[in-house]
Every structure is written in C-alpha cells, then in structure tokens.
Amino acid sequence: MNIFRITTKILALTLLVACGGGGSSGTAATPATPQVLPDALITNVETARSRVGGTTLTTTPTSTQIQQTIGSRVMDADTLMASDAYVVSAATPDGATVSTNGNVNINGNIHRVTLEEIQMGIEDRFELTRFNSRYAHVMVDQGVMFAQYRAAGRNDGDVYEYQSYGGWLADSAFSVDMLTINDGSDDESSMLVGISYGEESGSRPTVSGNVSWTGAVIGVEQDSGDVIQGNVNVGANISSEIVIIFDALVNINSGSSVSGIAWSGVAVETDGTFSSTTDGDVNGTFYGTGHTEVGGTFNRDGIIGAFGARR
C-alpha cells in the first residue's frame, strides 16, 4: 500500500520529483523565479460545474483564503497516500505507469519514485507558492469543496509547471496533480498522480448494520488529460470489508458519460487502511475521530485519481 505517515507536518497538494528540485538525492530545490502560469486543468469552470451538477458559493473565496483552508488540513494531517504515477518523457514517449517506490527512466536517468521524495517536492511547492501561484474556487459537489491550483517557476535552468484539482472535507483532502518539467530543450517530462491526506483514524470503523460514506471522486485520463468527476459511495455491513462505488462519472472536458467503477469485498486492516489490486488499484484509509471520513487514491481504466467522502 502506498502510504506514508508524515512526522514533520509538511504536506500539500502536489509534488516535485523525477528531476528539477526533487532529484535523485531527495534534497529540496532553492526557490524558483516566476514564470507565466500554465492553463488550469479546468479551463471553463461554469461548464464543468453544470456538467456534474455542482453549485457555487454566494461569496467566492479568494486564492489566499483557499490556501489558508488547505493549509489547515495540511497541518493537521499525519498521513499521505499516493496512487501509481503516470510518467511521460523522452525515454517513455508512450507513457509509463510507475508504482510509488518504483524505478522510472527519466531522460536516460534512472529515478526512484518514493513517498519521501514526494514529501520533498511538497516542500518545494510551499516555496513556489510564495512566488508565483494561484488557487481558484471551482464548485461544491456532493458537499465537497473543490478548487484548482496552478503554479510555475524556473530553477537551475529547468522550467516547471504545476496543475492540480482537488477537494477537501473537515479532516482530509484529496487531489489529482500534474507536474511538467522542461530543461530548455525537447526533453520535457510530465508526471500525473492522485493523492489523499488527512488526520488518520488509526482503526477500523465500528459498523452496526449498513453504513455508508458518500462524497466525490476525481481523476485525469492518462491519454487525453481530461478531468473525470463523479460520486463515490463507500459501504460496509461488517467492520472488516467495504464496497467502493464510483458512479455518475462525467468527462468534464467533453461532457460525455464515463462507465462506473466498483470494488467489492475490499479488506479493511485493523489500522483502518485498505487496498485492492483487483480490476485496477485502489487504496485508502479512514480519517477523523469516529471514522467520519474516508479517502484514497486509484488507478483504473486509464484514469488516475483520488476521492473523499463523509459518513
């Protein structure tokens, strides 16, 4: 299971690994100089909102307000989960899916993708936030607040761009993040990953009868880069197993429907974590006092994503 318990309380929504500031040494980059911001993953927010039946707020939060809200989730978090990473580079022009703690060839250099290095990349993002970045409110869907993030900078000759889309609840948050790095030549590398983090419950939920957690799921198609969004239902009638269902999935970019995804009989460990490699990968954990929330990441049917739900 791709799970890492953060001890330094440094956590956020994206990563910088594979080259640039992360590097094979795992040392953080120096602050980057500003670049022109990339396009957001969702370029037409109103259309996206209507396609999934989302709503907006009477008063739209500012970039600073969103950053502060996410920052509070960050500081309370003790767990980070990451999906498989999808990498495209000169060495992998057709794309390669790499498990966290796996090796990937980036422009001729072997790089080990680890959660520890994702954490280091997260520190770099905090530095970049000070220089050139923007959060933007997108919608409220299934009671989950959604925003997207974009940032860009130059460091040691490398230009790198972040694009992120995610949501947050009271005790957890989740997102899909894309990093693109260009060293000034034709050697451009990009990485796509889903992440989930929060204050972990640390035990199995107590279940008496049918219990469910409902919320939202997001993902990005590996081939097209389109954003997928829909509903998630995590159900249980015994403490040791859950069912995970993604339905009402919509391609926000095209408006087309996407087939539902489900896992059944997923075992829940005594510490509240769960995972399954049947019909694609899913892993997650329960968050909050009383197991009020659940979240996780997945890689299935060419979609990498993350989800969050409340009891």
Side-chain angles (χ1 to χ4, degrees), residues 109-182:
N109 297 314
I110 301 299
H111 184 88
R112 187 166 180 79
V113 180
T114 67
L115 285 167
E116 287 84 353
E117 286 198 343
I118 289 176
Q119 182 190 6
M120 294 303 297
I122 284 165
E123 295 180 38
D124 293 330
R125 175 170 174 175
F126 274 124
E127 288 298 312
L128 187 57
T129 297
R130 295 166 47 201
F131 290 87
N132 191 31
S133 66
R134 176 175 172 77
Y135 288 92
H137 170 70
V138 177
M139 70 176 81
V140 181
D141 183 25
Q142 305 301 311
V144 179
M145 296 280 293
F146 281 98
Q148 56 185 344
Y149 173 84
R150 55 194 178 117
R154 178 186 292 273
N155 187 74
D156 295 332
D158 294 330
V159 174
Y160 53 94
E161 300 178 341
Y162 291 95
Q163 296 166 294
S164 176
Y165 178 52
W168 65 90
L169 298 93
D171 296 299
S172 62
F174 60 98
S175 67
V176 183
D177 298 74
M178 184 180 294
L179 166 65
T180 300
I181 301 176
N182 193 314

Side-chain angles (χ1 to χ4, degrees), residues 171-214:
D171 296 299
S172 62
F174 60 98
S175 67
V176 183
D177 298 74
M178 184 180 294
L179 166 65
T180 300
I181 301 176
N182 193 314
D183 65 2
S185 65
D186 293 330
D187 291 337
E188 182 175 277
S189 303
S190 65
M191 180 178 288
L192 172 69
V193 69
I195 64 173
S196 170
Y197 59 90
E199 190 171 3
E200 192 178 24
S201 300
S203 62
R204 281 178 182 153
T206 300
V207 174
S208 178
N210 293 321
V211 178
S212 64
W213 291 255
T214 58

Side-chain angles (χ1 to χ4, degrees), residues 6 9-11 72-80 171 197-200:
I6 302 301
K9 295 289 185 179
I10 299 174
L11 184 63
S72 68
R73 304 298 181 277
V74 166
M75 296 310 297
D76 290 338
D78 54 17
T79 299
L80 167 67
D171 296 299
Y197 59 90
E199 190 171 3
E200 192 178 24

